[in-house]
Amino acid sequence: MSSSNPIAVLVSGGGRSLENLVDEIAAGRLDAEVRVVVSDRPGAFALERAAKHGIEALVLDRREFDSHEAYSKAVFAELEARGVKLVVLAGFLRLLLLQPGWGGRVVNIHPALLLAFGGKGFYGDHVHRAVLTRGVQVTGCTVHYVDDEYDNGKVILQRWIPVPQGIDVDGLAALVFEEEKLALPEAIRRHFAQA
């Protein structure tokens, strides 16, 4: 089913957020179409998930480009060619420099409450480990518009949870991901409602 809201999902790993978005679309809770999946890693499991759902998948390996700028231009050229209206960074670990016309059209999901626990090197379990080490009482996730700095840009929404006593990194990651599953589709809905 084609939607007037074509999105691209950019991934570096397993693609659990991609799978969640596909499920939300199939259930009729999200009016969007995943037009293409782009990975910076040839072996990313997200590519298999895309194939399973019949979604076009591309690998653009950063190591094959001379600079972040050249890489970013190549990525956005592919997205432009496919008529993508919104780019969703879902566990995409490369710095992506916005190209002309893409401001306010790229969102990222981050497994913490930004501005805390963000920036270069803060991704995945690194974030959850830092949350536990710091001893904060709440954590969660943030969906924000992307600019040319890691984990910066206008916040679209946040979801938070209390940090249970005695929980480990894996347990905390699982709890936060349940919030991410709600936050990312809602942020996409809000984006298109305002577009």
Side-chain angles (χ1 to χ4, degrees), residues 59-160:
V59 175
L60 291 173
D61 191 332
R62 168 64 180 88
R63 295 169 297 187
E64 296 176 6
F65 294 85
D66 293 337
S67 66
H68 285 304
E69 182 67 30
Y71 181 71
S72 298
K73 281 183 178 178
V75 169
F76 282 107
E78 294 288 354
L79 303 180
E80 195 79 51
R82 286 159 179 81
V84 167
K85 290 189 176 177
L86 179 69
V87 180
V88 178
L89 307 185
F92 188 69
L93 303 180
R94 295 283 171 201
L95 180 63
L96 197 63
L97 301 175
L98 292 182
Q99 300 300 299
W102 285 94
R105 295 175 57 203
V106 183
V107 301
N108 180 53
I109 178 103
H110 183 75
L113 298 173
L114 294 174
L115 297 167
F117 306 108
K120 187 167 180 159
F122 277 97
Y123 61 90
D125 286 349
H126 298 287
V127 171
H128 305 303
R129 192 169 293 108
V131 165
L132 293 175
T133 299
R134 185 81 56 85
V136 298
Q137 295 181 359
V138 296
T139 189
C141 60
T142 303
V143 186
H144 64 95
Y145 285 107
V146 169
D147 61 17
D148 289 343
E149 294 178 45
Y150 285 109
D151 301 327
N152 201 44
K154 181 181 175 189
V155 170
I156 302 169
L157 69 88
Q158 294 180 308
R159 293 186 61 88
W160 68 273

XYZ file of all heavy atoms in Angstrom, residues 59-160:
808
model
N 23.335 -0.410 0.630
C 24.478 -0.286 1.519
C 25.366 0.813 0.968
O 25.810 0.748 -0.183
C 25.275 -1.603 1.613
C 26.534 -1.393 2.458
C 24.412 -2.708 2.195
N 25.572 1.839 1.776
C 26.512 2.910 1.443
C 27.555 2.925 2.556
O 27.300 3.443 3.648
C 25.801 4.253 1.327
C 24.856 4.400 0.131
C 24.071 5.690 0.213
C 25.638 4.352 -1.166
N 28.669 2.299 2.287
C 29.725 2.108 3.273
C 30.560 3.385 3.370
O 31.164 3.819 2.386
C 30.594 0.921 2.859
C 31.558 0.478 3.941
O 31.964 1.309 4.778
O 31.909 -0.723 3.937
N 30.594 3.973 4.553
C 31.319 5.236 4.747
C 32.787 5.121 4.350
O 33.397 6.079 3.865
C 31.178 5.673 6.219
C 32.084 6.807 6.677
C 31.793 8.120 5.953
N 32.675 9.166 6.421
C 33.888 9.431 5.909
N 34.371 8.714 4.919
N 34.603 10.423 6.385
N 33.360 3.930 4.517
C 34.785 3.739 4.207
C 35.097 3.918 2.724
O 36.251 4.090 2.354
C 35.242 2.353 4.668
C 35.183 2.178 6.187
C 35.381 0.752 6.595
N 34.300 -0.079 6.079
C 34.130 -1.357 6.379
N 34.970 -1.980 7.169
N 33.119 -2.039 5.887
N 34.081 3.899 1.891
C 34.283 4.051 0.454
C 34.241 5.514 0.006
O 34.322 5.791 -1.190
C 33.244 3.234 -0.304
C 33.382 1.737 -0.062
C 32.296 0.928 -0.735
O 31.493 1.509 -1.495
O 32.237 -0.293 -0.483
N 34.120 6.430 0.971
C 34.022 7.860 0.648
C 35.151 8.617 1.332
O 35.602 8.248 2.407
C 32.662 8.415 1.079
C 31.513 7.819 0.305
C 30.954 6.610 0.698
C 31.014 8.450 -0.815
C 29.910 6.041 -0.010
C 29.966 7.887 -1.530
C 29.411 6.689 -1.138
N 35.586 9.702 0.697
C 36.726 10.469 1.187
C 36.424 11.315 2.421
O 37.334 11.674 3.164
C 37.251 11.412 0.085
C 37.858 10.643 -1.074
O 38.264 9.494 -0.867
O 37.919 11.198 -2.184
N 35.158 11.664 2.618
C 34.820 12.590 3.706
C 33.374 12.392 4.139
O 32.581 11.757 3.438
C 35.000 14.040 3.226
O 34.052 14.326 2.200
N 33.044 12.962 5.311
C 31.643 12.955 5.762
C 30.763 13.674 4.750
O 29.630 13.271 4.487
C 31.508 13.661 7.120
C 32.008 12.871 8.279
N 31.567 11.609 8.587
C 32.922 13.177 9.233
C 32.171 11.161 9.661
N 33.009 12.094 10.070
N 31.283 14.757 4.184
C 30.507 15.544 3.221
C 30.178 14.723 1.979
O 29.031 14.692 1.513
C 31.270 16.815 2.843
C 30.528 17.725 1.878
C 29.273 18.356 2.459
O 29.203 18.591 3.677
O 28.343 18.610 1.673
N 31.184 14.035 1.433
C 30.959 13.206 0.233
C 29.976 12.077 0.537
O 29.084 11.768 -0.273
C 32.286 12.648 -0.275
N 30.133 11.478 1.703
C 29.230 10.399 2.102
C 27.803 10.917 2.242
O 26.853 10.322 1.710
C 29.697 9.794 3.428
C 28.830 8.655 3.893
C 28.852 7.430 3.249
C 27.975 8.808 4.987
C 28.053 6.378 3.672
C 27.170 7.764 5.422
C 27.222 6.545 4.752
O 26.419 5.517 5.177
N 27.659 12.022 2.925
C 26.331 12.591 3.152
C 25.661 12.969 1.832
O 24.468 12.708 1.633
C 26.439 13.814 4.067
O 26.960 13.438 5.327
N 26.416 13.566 0.918
C 25.861 13.916 -0.398
C 25.347 12.677 -1.124
O 24.271 12.698 -1.734
C 26.912 14.624 -1.256
C 27.102 16.071 -0.901
C 28.095 16.744 -1.834
C 28.231 18.216 -1.484
N 29.200 18.915 -2.302
N 26.109 11.585 -1.057
C 25.703 10.343 -1.728
C 24.426 9.775 -1.116
O 23.514 9.343 -1.833
C 26.836 9.321 -1.656
N 24.346 9.784 0.212
C 23.147 9.268 0.881
C 21.924 10.083 0.480
O 20.901 9.531 0.051
C 23.327 9.278 2.417
C 21.995 8.991 3.115
C 24.381 8.271 2.857
N 22.024 11.396 0.590
C 20.855 12.225 0.283
C 20.487 12.184 -1.198
O 19.313 12.305 -1.541
C 21.058 13.654 0.780
C 20.849 13.790 2.257
C 21.923 13.966 3.114
C 19.572 13.726 2.806
C 21.731 14.093 4.481
C 19.362 13.844 4.164
C 20.449 14.023 5.021
N 21.460 11.989 -2.074
C 21.148 11.836 -3.502
C 20.286 10.599 -3.735
O 19.320 10.635 -4.521
C 22.430 11.766 -4.317
N 20.607 9.507 -3.051
C 19.806 8.279 -3.179
C 18.388 8.498 -2.647
O 17.406 8.028 -3.232
C 20.473 7.120 -2.433
C 21.803 6.683 -3.008
C 21.693 5.947 -4.333
O 20.564 5.661 -4.801
O 22.761 5.641 -4.917
N 18.277 9.207 -1.544
C 16.960 9.450 -0.941
C 16.119 10.380 -1.811
O 14.922 10.166 -2.005
C 17.127 10.031 0.464
C 17.963 9.182 1.428
C 18.059 9.855 2.783
C 17.421 7.771 1.550
N 16.782 11.407 -2.337
C 16.101 12.348 -3.234
C 15.558 11.619 -4.459
O 14.419 11.856 -4.894
C 17.096 13.430 -3.660
C 16.474 14.650 -4.291
C 15.881 15.618 -3.266
O 16.562 15.988 -2.301
O 14.717 15.993 -3.488
N 16.351 10.708 -5.005
C 15.946 9.969 -6.212
C 14.726 9.094 -5.970
O 14.010 8.749 -6.910
C 17.115 9.109 -6.698
N 14.473 8.755 -4.696
C 13.346 7.876 -4.367
C 12.153 8.645 -3.800
O 11.198 8.044 -3.322
C 13.812 6.792 -3.395
C 14.672 5.755 -4.105
C 15.552 4.974 -3.153
N 16.333 3.994 -3.891
C 17.463 4.275 -4.565
N 17.928 5.508 -4.603
N 18.112 3.316 -5.220
N 12.214 9.959 -3.827
C 11.074 10.766 -3.400
C 10.798 10.730 -1.907
O 9.662 10.942 -1.477
N 11.822 10.481 -1.122
C 11.658 10.388 0.333
C 11.319 11.768 0.902
O 11.936 12.763 0.539
C 12.952 9.830 0.963
C 12.951 10.003 2.474
C 13.141 8.370 0.566
N 10.334 11.797 1.804
C 9.954 13.063 2.446
C 10.542 13.214 3.843
O 10.718 14.334 4.316
C 8.430 13.173 2.524
C 7.768 13.386 1.184
C 6.301 13.704 1.370
C 5.641 14.009 0.035
N 4.194 14.257 0.186
N 10.812 12.087 4.520
C 11.349 12.136 5.876
C 12.376 11.023 6.034
O 12.143 9.887 5.619
C 10.237 11.941 6.915
C 10.686 11.958 8.388
C 11.139 13.357 8.801
C 9.552 11.475 9.294
N 13.510 11.367 6.651
C 14.567 10.396 6.929
C 14.528 10.083 8.419
O 14.501 10.990 9.252
C 15.954 10.953 6.544
C 17.037 9.938 6.836
C 15.964 11.363 5.083
N 14.532 8.785 8.734
C 14.498 8.329 10.118
C 15.809 7.615 10.425
O 16.108 6.583 9.826
C 13.305 7.371 10.357
C 13.305 6.865 11.791
C 11.988 8.048 10.003
N 16.597 8.199 11.330
C 17.826 7.545 11.774
C 17.455 6.652 12.948
O 17.049 7.132 14.007
C 18.874 8.575 12.196
C 19.214 9.676 11.184
C 20.357 10.534 11.712
C 19.572 9.090 9.832
N 17.566 5.345 12.739
C 17.133 4.368 13.743
C 18.322 3.459 14.060
O 18.469 2.386 13.490
C 15.940 3.562 13.221
N 19.183 3.956 14.947
C 20.404 3.208 15.232
C 21.436 3.381 14.140
O 22.219 2.482 13.860
N 21.437 4.544 13.508
C 22.414 4.859 12.461
C 23.570 5.587 13.129
O 23.385 6.644 13.727
C 21.775 5.734 11.384
C 22.637 5.966 10.180
C 22.923 4.935 9.301
C 23.152 7.222 9.911
C 23.707 5.153 8.182
C 23.941 7.451 8.797
C 24.215 6.408 7.926
N 24.774 4.999 13.054
C 25.886 5.463 13.876
C 26.873 6.360 13.149
O 27.947 6.648 13.664
C 26.623 4.255 14.465
C 25.742 3.319 15.300
C 26.553 2.156 15.845
C 25.065 4.071 16.440
N 26.532 6.810 11.967
C 27.407 7.708 11.212
C 26.923 9.146 11.325
O 25.716 9.400 11.337
C 27.430 7.326 9.729
C 28.026 5.994 9.454
C 29.517 6.062 9.523
N 30.063 4.720 9.455
C 31.249 4.384 9.869
N 32.038 5.294 10.402
N 31.682 3.153 9.775
N 27.874 10.062 11.360
C 27.513 11.475 11.273
C 27.007 11.741 9.857
O 27.669 11.403 8.877
C 28.724 12.357 11.570
C 28.473 13.862 11.509
C 27.468 14.289 12.569
C 29.789 14.618 11.700
N 25.824 12.314 9.775
C 25.217 12.627 8.492
C 25.056 14.138 8.422
O 24.361 14.729 9.253
C 23.853 11.938 8.385
C 23.238 11.806 7.013
C 24.098 10.934 6.090
C 21.838 11.201 7.125
N 25.723 14.760 7.473
C 25.651 16.212 7.328
C 24.463 16.559 6.443
O 24.340 16.053 5.323
C 26.950 16.743 6.714
C 28.220 16.428 7.517
C 29.463 16.884 6.758
C 28.161 17.064 8.895
N 23.579 17.402 6.965
C 22.382 17.760 6.213
C 22.758 18.453 4.913
O 23.699 19.241 4.857
C 21.495 18.682 7.037
C 20.845 18.072 8.259
C 19.964 19.103 8.940
C 20.041 16.836 7.916
N 21.990 18.167 3.895
C 22.170 18.787 2.593
C 21.051 19.812 2.389
O 20.020 19.764 3.068
C 22.149 17.718 1.495
C 23.243 16.669 1.656
C 24.633 17.262 1.620
O 25.041 17.859 0.634
N 25.380 17.105 2.716
N 21.243 20.752 1.460
C 20.222 21.777 1.234
C 18.834 21.169 1.018
O 18.681 20.191 0.284
C 20.729 22.492 -0.026
C 22.214 22.303 0.014
C 22.426 20.927 0.599
N 17.852 21.753 1.680
C 16.474 21.296 1.539
C 16.064 20.200 2.510
O 14.897 19.812 2.550
N 17.001 19.697 3.325
C 16.679 18.584 4.224
C 16.529 19.010 5.689
O 16.216 18.184 6.540
C 17.731 17.477 4.080
C 17.547 16.715 2.809
C 18.170 16.949 1.614
C 16.658 15.624 2.583
N 17.727 16.066 0.662
C 16.797 15.234 1.232
C 15.756 14.931 3.379
C 16.074 14.191 0.664
C 15.032 13.892 2.824
C 15.198 13.535 1.482
N 16.745 20.269 5.998
C 16.535 20.725 7.367
C 15.095 20.484 7.795
O 14.160 20.743 7.038
N 14.899 19.943 8.989
C 13.548 19.648 9.473
C 12.925 18.432 8.829
O 11.722 18.197 8.980
N 13.737 17.641 8.115
C 13.212 16.443 7.442
C 14.011 15.191 7.793
O 13.879 14.162 7.134
C 13.221 16.643 5.924
C 12.276 17.731 5.460
C 12.397 17.976 3.968
N 12.164 16.782 3.193
C 12.634 16.604 1.944
N 13.370 17.530 1.367
N 12.388 15.488 1.291
N 14.821 15.282 8.846
C 15.608 14.140 9.316
C 15.422 14.050 10.829
O 15.667 15.020 11.545
C 17.107 14.296 8.982
C 17.885 13.062 9.426
C 17.317 14.551 7.485
N 14.980 12.874 11.301
C 14.790 12.667 12.735
C 15.675 11.524 13.218
O 16.030 10.626 12.458
C 13.309 12.386 13.097
C 12.418 13.550 12.665
C 12.814 11.076 12.492
N 16.004 11.590 14.507
C 16.822 10.564 15.135
C 16.156 10.120 16.429
O 15.562 10.930 17.132
C 18.221 11.123 15.444
C 19.116 10.098 16.111
O 19.293 8.994 15.623
N 19.690 10.466 17.247
N 16.271 8.821 16.726
C 15.829 8.311 18.025
C 17.068 8.015 18.855
O 18.003 7.388 18.373
C 14.936 7.061 17.877
C 14.507 6.508 19.246
C 15.585 5.955 17.082
C 13.126 6.834 19.636
N 17.068 8.542 20.091
C 18.223 8.383 20.976
C 17.758 7.748 22.282
O 16.739 8.177 22.844
C 18.862 9.749 21.252
C 20.090 9.663 22.085
N 21.293 9.219 21.581
C 20.307 9.937 23.395
C 22.202 9.238 22.550
N 21.625 9.666 23.656
N 18.502 6.735 22.785
C 18.033 5.998 23.969
C 18.379 6.665 25.296
O 18.875 6.027 26.221
C 18.744 4.650 23.824
C 20.041 5.000 23.161
C 19.706 6.127 22.205
N 18.130 7.957 25.387
C 18.312 8.697 26.640
C 17.511 9.982 26.546
O 17.008 10.348 25.479
C 19.792 9.013 26.878
N 17.426 10.661 27.672
C 16.743 11.945 27.715
C 17.767 13.034 27.425
O 18.513 13.450 28.303
C 16.100 12.155 29.086
C 15.024 11.131 29.456
C 14.583 11.320 30.899
C 13.839 11.226 28.513
N 17.822 13.445 26.173
C 18.771 14.500 25.810
C 18.334 15.792 26.498
O 17.156 16.017 26.710
C 18.786 14.685 24.289
C 19.340 13.484 23.516
C 19.176 13.704 22.018
C 20.796 13.217 23.848
N 19.230 16.538 26.924
C 20.615 16.708 26.551
C 21.568 15.810 27.330
O 22.769 15.793 27.053
C 21.039 18.166 26.732
C 20.270 19.133 25.830
C 20.493 20.560 26.250
C 20.650 18.969 24.387
N 21.096 15.093 28.317
C 21.971 14.197 29.067
C 22.304 12.961 28.238
O 21.491 12.497 27.437
C 21.288 13.770 30.364
N 23.503 12.446 28.411
C 23.926 11.179 27.818
C 23.820 11.172 26.298
O 23.342 10.221 25.701
C 23.136 10.009 28.416
C 23.193 9.975 29.912
C 22.087 10.308 30.674
C 24.366 9.641 30.566
C 22.140 10.302 32.057
C 24.430 9.632 31.956
C 23.312 9.964 32.705
N 24.256 12.258 25.686
C 24.264 12.348 24.237
C 25.620 12.781 23.729
O 26.518 13.108 24.499
N 25.768 12.763 22.424
C 27.011 13.189 21.788
C 27.784 12.012 21.244
O 27.363 10.861 21.337
N 28.921 12.313 20.661
C 29.743 11.280 20.034
C 30.114 10.197 21.052
O 30.558 10.492 22.155
C 31.005 11.901 19.445
C 31.806 10.897 18.646
C 32.880 11.527 17.810
C 33.608 10.409 17.061
N 34.294 10.862 15.912
N 29.920 8.962 20.660
C 30.249 7.833 21.520
C 29.119 7.376 22.419
O 29.186 6.299 23.012
N 28.065 8.183 22.527
C 26.923 7.798 23.351
C 25.852 7.164 22.468
O 25.014 7.850 21.886
C 26.342 9.007 24.094
C 27.071 9.337 25.359
C 28.040 10.321 25.368
C 26.794 8.654 26.537
C 28.722 10.627 26.531
C 27.465 8.953 27.710
C 28.436 9.937 27.701
N 25.901 5.840 22.372
C 24.898 5.091 21.619
C 24.723 3.728 22.287
O 25.606 3.241 23.007
C 25.294 4.940 20.139
C 26.600 4.198 19.930
C 26.618 2.817 19.776
C 27.807 4.881 19.899
C 27.813 2.139 19.599
C 29.003 4.212 19.717
C 28.993 2.831 19.575
O 30.175 2.158 19.413
N 23.570 3.125 22.055
C 23.306 1.772 22.543
C 23.641 1.586 24.014
O 23.312 2.419 24.871
N 24.320 0.479 24.297
C 24.626 0.125 25.680
C 25.553 1.125 26.365
O 25.564 1.221 27.592
C 25.238 -1.280 25.745
C 24.192 -2.368 25.509
O 22.981 -2.050 25.502
O 24.585 -3.539 25.337
N 26.331 1.883 25.585
C 27.177 2.926 26.186
C 26.314 3.932 26.953
O 26.689 4.400 28.025
C 27.995 3.658 25.117
C 28.942 2.780 24.365
N 30.105 2.292 24.917
C 28.890 2.284 23.104
C 30.731 1.545 24.026
N 30.002 1.515 22.928
N 25.165 4.251 26.381
C 24.245 5.194 27.022
C 23.702 4.588 28.311
O 23.734 5.217 29.374
C 23.081 5.563 26.072
C 22.009 6.358 26.805
C 23.587 6.320 24.870
N 23.198 3.359 28.242
C 22.560 2.745 29.410
C 23.577 2.518 30.534
O 23.256 2.713 31.711
C 21.871 1.447 29.002
C 20.889 1.633 27.892
N 19.832 2.518 27.987
C 20.814 1.081 26.654
C 19.143 2.495 26.854
N 19.723 1.633 26.038
N 24.796 2.157 30.164
C 25.853 1.982 31.166
C 26.138 3.315 31.872
O 26.299 3.373 33.091
C 27.119 1.420 30.510
C 28.165 0.928 31.492
C 29.275 0.133 30.797
N 28.763 -1.121 30.268
C 28.575 -1.391 28.961
N 28.882 -0.509 28.042
N 28.095 -2.555 28.572
N 26.189 4.394 31.095
C 26.436 5.720 31.678
C 25.299 6.135 32.601
O 25.535 6.724 33.666
C 26.631 6.755 30.564
N 24.070 5.840 32.219
C 22.910 6.158 33.064
C 23.034 5.444 34.408
O 22.848 6.046 35.477
C 21.600 5.755 32.340
C 20.419 5.711 33.305
C 21.313 6.702 31.182
N 23.377 4.149 34.366
C 23.491 3.382 35.610
C 24.682 3.851 36.447
O 24.584 3.943 37.673
C 23.600 1.884 35.295
C 22.341 1.255 34.686
C 22.596 -0.191 34.303
C 21.156 1.368 35.628
N 25.789 4.166 35.796
C 26.978 4.636 36.517
C 26.699 5.954 37.218
O 27.122 6.170 38.356
C 28.164 4.788 35.538
O 28.443 3.512 34.961
C 29.406 5.290 36.249
N 25.964 6.844 36.550
C 25.666 8.156 37.116
C 24.650 8.058 38.247
O 24.576 8.919 39.111
C 25.143 9.077 36.013
C 24.900 10.509 36.413
C 26.143 11.397 36.451
N 26.867 11.408 35.205
C 26.623 12.188 34.164
N 25.629 13.052 34.203
N 27.374 12.114 33.096
N 23.834 6.998 38.227
C 22.873 6.808 39.302
C 21.621 7.657 39.190
O 20.946 7.925 40.194
N 21.288 8.093 37.962
C 20.080 8.907 37.801
C 18.831 8.067 38.065
O 18.864 6.835 37.966
C 20.018 9.559 36.396
C 21.176 10.497 36.179
C 19.980 8.503 35.301
N 17.744 8.731 38.402
C 16.527 8.016 38.774
C 15.550 7.829 37.629
O 14.631 7.021 37.724
C 15.843 8.742 39.932
C 16.700 8.716 41.186
C 16.027 9.403 42.353
O 14.922 9.930 42.235
N 16.695 9.393 43.485
N 15.721 8.615 36.561
C 14.863 8.455 35.383
C 15.726 8.415 34.126
O 16.804 8.995 34.074
C 13.808 9.583 35.247
C 12.842 9.545 36.402
C 14.456 10.931 35.105
N 15.215 7.714 33.136
C 15.839 7.683 31.819
C 14.712 7.566 30.803
O 13.543 7.690 31.145
C 16.875 6.549 31.698
O 17.608 6.703 30.470
C 16.228 5.170 31.720
N 15.052 7.331 29.570
C 14.011 7.208 28.551
C 14.595 7.346 27.168
O 15.714 6.906 26.913
N 13.839 7.988 26.295
C 14.303 8.165 24.919
C 13.849 9.524 24.397
O 12.897 10.113 24.905
C 13.797 7.047 24.017
S 11.998 6.918 23.933
N 14.553 9.977 23.385
C 14.286 11.277 22.769
C 14.231 11.096 21.262
O 15.109 10.455 20.684
C 15.403 12.280 23.109
O 15.533 12.395 24.525
C 15.128 13.649 22.493
N 13.226 11.669 20.632
C 13.215 11.786 19.172
C 13.391 13.265 18.860
O 12.676 14.114 19.400
C 11.918 11.261 18.537
C 12.030 11.278 17.013
C 11.587 9.856 19.031
N 14.382 13.558 18.010
C 14.690 14.961 17.714
C 15.029 15.127 16.242
O 15.408 14.168 15.559
C 15.867 15.437 18.580
C 17.156 14.725 18.293
N 18.106 15.225 17.432
C 17.641 13.546 18.752
C 19.125 14.373 17.373
N 18.868 13.352 18.164
N 14.883 16.368 15.786
C 15.346 16.688 14.444
C 16.866 16.732 14.458
O 17.494 17.102 15.454
C 14.766 18.026 13.967
C 13.311 17.924 13.592
C 12.322 18.471 14.403
C 12.921 17.266 12.429
C 10.984 18.371 14.068
C 11.583 17.155 12.089
C 10.619 17.707 12.908
O 9.299 17.587 12.579
N 17.455 16.355 13.347
C 18.904 16.245 13.233
C 19.482 17.530 12.666
O 18.898 18.146 11.765
C 19.262 15.051 12.314
C 20.734 15.037 11.945
C 18.866 13.741 12.981
N 20.627 17.929 13.237
C 21.447 18.956 12.615
C 22.846 18.368 12.420
O 22.984 17.145 12.410
C 21.438 20.261 13.430
C 21.990 20.095 14.832
O 22.666 19.091 15.110
O 21.744 20.986 15.668
N 23.852 19.179 12.250
C 25.169 18.648 11.913
C 26.013 18.257 13.124
O 27.207 18.021 12.998
C 25.936 19.659 11.045
C 25.356 19.763 9.636
O 24.599 18.847 9.239
O 25.663 20.738 8.936
N 25.397 18.167 14.303
C 26.094 17.703 15.495
C 25.385 16.459 16.027
O 24.170 16.337 15.916
C 26.083 18.779 16.584
C 26.854 20.028 16.249
C 26.753 21.055 17.367
O 26.891 20.670 18.544
O 26.517 22.225 17.040
N 26.159 15.555 16.640
C 25.552 14.363 17.231
C 24.545 14.749 18.313
O 24.838 15.563 19.188
C 26.629 13.486 17.888
C 27.487 12.705 16.926
C 28.813 13.053 16.717
C 26.981 11.606 16.241
C 29.622 12.331 15.850
C 27.776 10.876 15.360
C 29.094 11.238 15.175
O 29.885 10.525 14.317
N 23.357 14.133 18.242
C 22.347 14.240 19.294
C 22.006 15.670 19.671
O 21.822 16.008 20.841
C 22.802 13.451 20.539
C 23.020 11.984 20.215
O 22.298 11.452 19.354
O 23.923 11.382 20.815
N 21.930 16.514 18.673
C 21.568 17.907 18.855
C 20.273 18.119 18.073
O 19.717 17.192 17.507
C 22.716 18.796 18.338
C 22.673 20.180 18.911
O 22.458 20.362 20.087
N 22.868 21.166 18.059
N 19.777 19.313 18.031
C 18.582 19.583 17.226
C 17.325 19.587 18.071
O 17.271 19.059 19.185
N 16.280 20.185 17.523
C 15.016 20.396 18.233
C 14.363 19.063 18.616
O 14.205 18.164 17.785
C 14.073 21.198 17.340
C 12.743 21.504 17.984
C 11.839 22.279 17.047
C 10.467 22.455 17.667
N 9.515 23.015 16.720
N 13.962 18.966 19.874
C 13.295 17.769 20.381
C 11.849 17.738 19.882
O 11.132 18.741 19.967
C 13.342 17.733 21.927
C 12.456 16.623 22.478
C 14.781 17.574 22.414
N 11.436 16.588 19.365
C 10.038 16.389 18.957
C 9.242 15.830 20.130
O 8.161 16.297 20.446
C 9.947 15.445 17.739
C 10.741 16.003 16.565
C 8.482 15.202 17.362
C 10.926 15.025 15.428
N 9.785 14.796 20.767
C 9.140 14.254 21.958
C 10.127 13.406 22.752
O 11.138 12.940 22.214
C 7.875 13.464 21.630
C 7.991 12.133 20.898
C 8.171 10.976 21.875
C 6.718 11.887 20.095
N 9.789 13.236 24.029
C 10.548 12.354 24.908
C 9.570 11.474 25.668
O 8.436 11.875 25.937
C 11.379 13.163 25.919
C 12.472 13.984 25.282
C 13.275 14.762 26.306
O 12.716 15.473 27.118
N 14.594 14.625 26.260
N 10.020 10.268 25.987
C 9.280 9.378 26.883
C 10.243 8.980 27.991
O 11.417 8.743 27.722
C 8.768 8.140 26.150
C 7.682 8.466 25.113
C 7.092 7.198 24.525
N 6.458 6.375 25.524
C 5.179 6.485 25.919
N 4.401 7.417 25.398
N 4.681 5.674 26.838
N 9.756 8.920 29.221
C 10.653 8.606 30.318
C 10.103 7.483 31.176
O 8.894 7.227 31.189
C 10.926 9.844 31.171
C 9.736 10.348 31.940
C 8.782 11.217 31.495
C 9.374 9.981 33.262
N 7.848 11.415 32.470
C 8.190 10.674 33.577
C 9.932 9.140 34.229
C 7.546 10.540 34.800
C 9.304 9.009 35.447
C 8.111 9.712 35.723
